[in-house]
Amino acid sequence: MDSPHGAAVKAEDFGLKGPRGWAFQGIGIDAAPGSLIAVEGPSGSGRTCLLLALTGRMKPTRGHAEVGGHRLPKRMTAVRRIAALGPVSGVNELDQALTVAEQLREGALLQRHYGAPVRAMLRPRAERRAAAETRIASALEAAGLDLATLPKGGRTSVRDLERLESVRLSVAIALLGSPGLLALDDLDLKLSDTERAEAWDLLRSVAARGITVLAVCSEAPADAVVLRTSPKEPTAPTAPTAPTAPTAPEVPEVPAVTEGAADTGSSTGDDGKNDTENAPANDTENDDTKGADDALAEAGRA
């Protein structure tokens, strides 16, 4: 496995707004290549959206960012090429029906088809297979995952892995593409204190290889560059209106109908309703804010 130069991550007043309001806003960072970056905040505070935006999977609507010299949002495709995702729910999850060995081979195959230069695909099959096995072995070593320690070795089902083992497998698959930025969502989810410390040690070792690491967590370690997302503020309830005293009904005054009466300014359509009732509501959303509504689906296709 190559040891690429990590991607510097910079952002200024970075934000993303969707139809339901701000997913995140006001984000600023200037992290050097090979940094360990933690996105810290409570669940529902826009942590995953920020991770996907910084890896080129979601389009921001305010400010700008730069990853590996590629400016967002203009060069999202270029950022996706150098940023590898760990598992993100609904976007990039491990296949529970596969074995560990099958998942690794699938990752190597996808990398060969979509990430390797064309000349690499022209090599003899035996040479390509040997190169893939070498990359897999190197990635497993970097992720600290020894297949011999699994219940059935490489034939162990992905669904039978412990949470920390799943994290290590995801990191190994991501490293097959020699990324400049490795991004992981919900790193400390369902981990004990000891396992959480092991997971951060793993990411420190990846960063020590020169790869920039971006990890979503509930609590960041002291040595990480921290990006904090804020919980959403609830909308203040509207004060109830005091009831008014009932009044006697007024007798409507019937206007006299005269020939050639003046036009009142309202017209009716074919259904007899006023045009103002038939007119569509004005759509105030702009193209930028629409991107967050189905952003996870779009990220899954990226």
Side-chain angles (χ1 to χ4, degrees), residues 9-17 22-30 39 45-67 70-76 79 181 214 227-230:
V9 178
K10 302 178 182 180
E12 183 177 350
D13 194 25
F14 199 51
L16 188 152
K17 187 177 184 181
W22 288 100
F24 62 86
Q25 61 177 320
I27 298 297
I29 186 175
D30 188 356
V39 180
S45 62
R47 303 177 306 174
T48 301
C49 290
L50 177 55
L51 177 141
L52 293 173
L54 287 174
T55 55
R57 272 77 176 180
M58 290 181 70
K59 185 178 181 181
T61 53
R62 172 180 289 180
H64 68 273
E66 190 175 287
V67 179
H70 304 297
R71 191 176 179 88
L72 294 170
K74 290 184 178 180
R75 304 197 63 191
M76 294 175 64
V79 170
L181 173 65
L214 176 67
L227 286 175
R228 289 186 174 87
T229 55
S230 303

Side-chain angles (χ1 to χ4, degrees), residues 24 27 37-48 50-51 184-188 196 200 214-231:
F24 62 86
I27 298 297
I37 306 170
V39 180
E40 181 186 79
S43 178
S45 62
R47 303 177 306 174
T48 301
L50 177 55
L51 177 141
L184 299 95
D185 193 25
D186 286 329
L187 175 68
D188 50 10
R196 187 177 298 114
W200 283 114
L214 176 67
V216 167
C217 62
S218 57
E219 184 177 354
D223 59 339
V225 178
V226 181
L227 286 175
R228 289 186 174 87
T229 55
S230 303

Side-chain angles (χ1 to χ4, degrees), residues 155-256:
R155 296 183 294 106
T156 303
S157 175
V158 170
R159 69 168 61 92
D160 293 332
L161 294 177
E162 300 292 337
R163 166 64 180 163
L164 183 56
E165 292 171 339
S166 294
V167 171
R168 293 186 184 278
L169 177 59
S170 298
V171 170
I173 294 171
L175 294 179
L176 289 172
S178 301
L181 173 65
L182 170 65
L184 299 95
D185 193 25
D186 286 329
L187 175 68
D188 50 10
L189 179 67
K190 298 180 180 179
L191 292 181
S192 65
D193 291 342
T194 301
E195 292 171 332
R196 187 177 298 114
E198 289 184 40
W200 283 114
D201 285 342
L202 165 61
L203 298 190
R204 289 187 188 95
S205 69
V206 173
R209 291 172 173 262
I211 301 172
T212 304
V213 177
L214 176 67
V216 167
C217 62
S218 57
E219 184 177 354
D223 59 339
V225 178
V226 181
L227 286 175
R228 289 186 174 87
T229 55
S230 303
K232 305 297 182 292
E233 296 182 1
T235 304
T238 305
T241 305
T244 56
T247 57
E250 296 182 359
V251 179
E253 184 177 318
V254 180

